[in-house]
Amino acid sequence: MFYIKERNEWLGKQLLRADSDVMFAGVVTGHQPGEVWVNDLARPSWALVWSGGLEGFCFMGNPLTLPPQDGFESFIDGGIIPFLKEKGIRCFEFSAEGEAWVPALYDVLGSRDLQESYQYVYKSDPPAWRHSADGNPAVPEPFRAVRLDARQLHEWELDRVENGDFLIRYVEQYWGTLSNFLDEGFGYAALTDGNAIAGLAVSSAKFGMTRAIGVETLEDYRRLGLSSSLVKLLLNDFHNHGITAWWDCMESNIASQKTAEKAGLTRSHRYKINWFTF
């Protein structure tokens, strides 16, 4: 396996499908922070992709060219596990694009006591979304919503916001820098009457005309309707730019599923997550 430094649209054309997971596709094309290892530098047919935002891996491309078991396990033990240990992570968590990967990965990793769970993906459905968007939804009082763009942040002066570092950390996790987010992202924040951030809804990754949605509400402000209101505002922007939304959540996270459905998103599919500890 080869570590590849140059992540760009050319690499995306070699490895990605139209329905590729946005979070990992964004890494491959160079929009999101992460790492990529490929089987061939000149003509890669499959890759192991690390998402810095998710802190997990995805196998992408054609599984028919996987190396023999001993060679692949050497790569995991000698390359990937030390990579994770340096980050203080003691678990190798991964997904894969397509059912064709399942037998191949179980052949080479099945002896590792693999655990599994499922993720749900929701997407924006234009007719349903227009029905639920209610024009220009407002966050519940006493909060106010602000669009996270360059003009707003310049006027806002983040160092004067009580917890502006919360926004910076969240955006940098998924975009690398605030500048990258301002160039290519969309987002809204809910502010308290004391000018503190109560919650965020932002585009957390991009691939073509699809954007992933990332939502975070601080614990003291949960169950007040902030998340779904901010997501609806974000969907307004997506709709105006012809963008499809992508919402990913755990099968066990009923609250996240309800937020997605309340915002007018429709469940598209589910996929498996596997992991083993070391």
Side-chain angles (χ1 to χ4, degrees), residues 7-106:
R7 300 180 287 113
N8 49 36
E9 297 296 334
W10 174 85
L11 185 63
K13 290 179 180 178
Q14 312 305 309
L15 299 171
L16 302 179
R17 314 180 313 193
D19 60 348
S20 285
D21 187 308
V22 180
M23 295 299 299
F24 294 98
V27 174
V28 173
T29 53
H31 297 291
Q32 268 61 60
E35 312 291 346
V36 178
W37 292 263
V38 298
N39 65 322
D40 187 294
L41 287 174
R43 299 183 64 183
S45 59
W46 72 273
L48 179 61
V49 183
W50 161 262
S51 165
L54 296 179
E55 294 192 331
F57 292 92
C58 184
F59 289 90
M60 312 184 85
N62 181 2
L64 300 180
T65 53
L66 275 175
Q69 181 174 357
D70 56 349
F72 188 77
E73 289 196 319
S74 296
F75 165 63
I76 296 295
D77 290 331
I80 298 304
I81 288 179
F83 168 81
L84 291 171
K85 285 182 175 179
E86 286 182 2
K87 297 179 178 297
I89 299 172
R90 305 293 299 186
C91 171
F92 175 53
E93 180 181 286
F94 63 91
S95 60
E97 287 207 329
E99 291 298 319
W101 277 98
V102 175
L105 289 177
Y106 272 76

Side-chain angles (χ1 to χ4, degrees), residues 153-216:
L153 294 185
H154 175 73
E155 295 175 355
W156 201 4
E157 297 187 41
L158 275 177
D159 57 347
R160 297 185 182 181
V161 176
E162 181 178 319
N163 55 347
D165 58 331
F166 162 56
L167 168 63
I168 297 298
R169 286 196 305 270
Y170 191 84
V171 166
E172 288 182 346
Q173 179 180 350
Y174 293 101
W175 289 92
T177 67
L178 180 61
S179 177
N180 289 342
F181 168 74
L182 293 176
D183 286 343
E184 302 189 277
F186 300 84
Y188 285 86
L191 298 182
T192 68
D193 52 10
N195 210 36
I197 299 173
L200 302 170
V202 303
S203 55
S204 54
K206 67 169 288 186
F207 173 49
M209 294 303 293
T210 301
R211 301 290 186 276
I213 295 178
V215 177
E216 186 73 26

Side-chain angles (χ1 to χ4, degrees), residues 71-276:
F72 188 77
E73 289 196 319
S74 296
F75 165 63
I76 296 295
D77 290 331
I80 298 304
I81 288 179
F83 168 81
L84 291 171
K85 285 182 175 179
E86 286 182 2
K87 297 179 178 297
I89 299 172
R90 305 293 299 186
C91 171
F92 175 53
E93 180 181 286
F94 63 91
S95 60
E97 287 207 329
E99 291 298 319
W101 277 98
V102 175
L105 289 177
Y106 272 76
D107 280 347
V108 297
L109 296 173
S111 63
R112 305 256 182 170
D113 190 25
L114 294 178
Q115 306 298 306
E116 67 178 44
S117 65
Y118 285 90
Q119 297 283 116
Y120 286 156
V121 172
Y122 290 79
K123 295 184 181 181
S124 51
D125 179 71
W129 175 81
R130 281 197 297 269
H131 176 72
S132 66
D134 256 347
N136 190 25
V139 297
E141 295 182 351
F143 304 96
R144 61 188 177 92
V146 294
R147 178 183 277 111
L148 300 175
D149 56 23
R151 178 179 177 181
Q152 173 62 53
L153 294 185
H154 175 73
E155 295 175 355
W156 201 4
E157 297 187 41
L158 275 177
D159 57 347
R160 297 185 182 181
V161 176
E162 181 178 319
N163 55 347
D165 58 331
F166 162 56
L167 168 63
I168 297 298
R169 286 196 305 270
Y170 191 84
V171 166
E172 288 182 346
Q173 179 180 350
Y174 293 101
W175 289 92
T177 67
L178 180 61
S179 177
N180 289 342
F181 168 74
L182 293 176
D183 286 343
E184 302 189 277
F186 300 84
Y188 285 86
L191 298 182
T192 68
D193 52 10
N195 210 36
I197 299 173
L200 302 170
V202 303
S203 55
S204 54
K206 67 169 288 186
F207 173 49
M209 294 303 293
T210 301
R211 301 290 186 276
I213 295 178
V215 177
E216 186 73 26
T217 303
L218 295 179
E219 188 171 356
D220 290 345
Y221 307 107
R222 291 174 184 171
R223 301 181 182 86
L224 299 176
L226 290 179
S227 294
S228 57
S229 298
L230 291 173
V231 171
K232 286 179 180 179
L233 287 168
L234 187 60
L235 288 174
N236 276 340
D237 283 0
F238 285 4
H239 178 73
N240 291 335
H241 289 82
I243 290 170
T244 297
W246 175 293
W247 178 290
D248 195 315
C249 62
M250 295 171 61
E251 184 179 46
S252 60
N253 192 341
I254 305 302
S256 182
Q257 294 168 38
K258 289 182 176 179
T259 298
E261 291 164 0
K262 189 175 180 180
L265 301 178
T266 303
R267 188 182 298 175
S268 166
H269 63 278
R270 75 171 189 168
Y271 65 94
K272 184 185 291 187
I273 296 286
N274 286 106
W275 69 91
F276 63 83

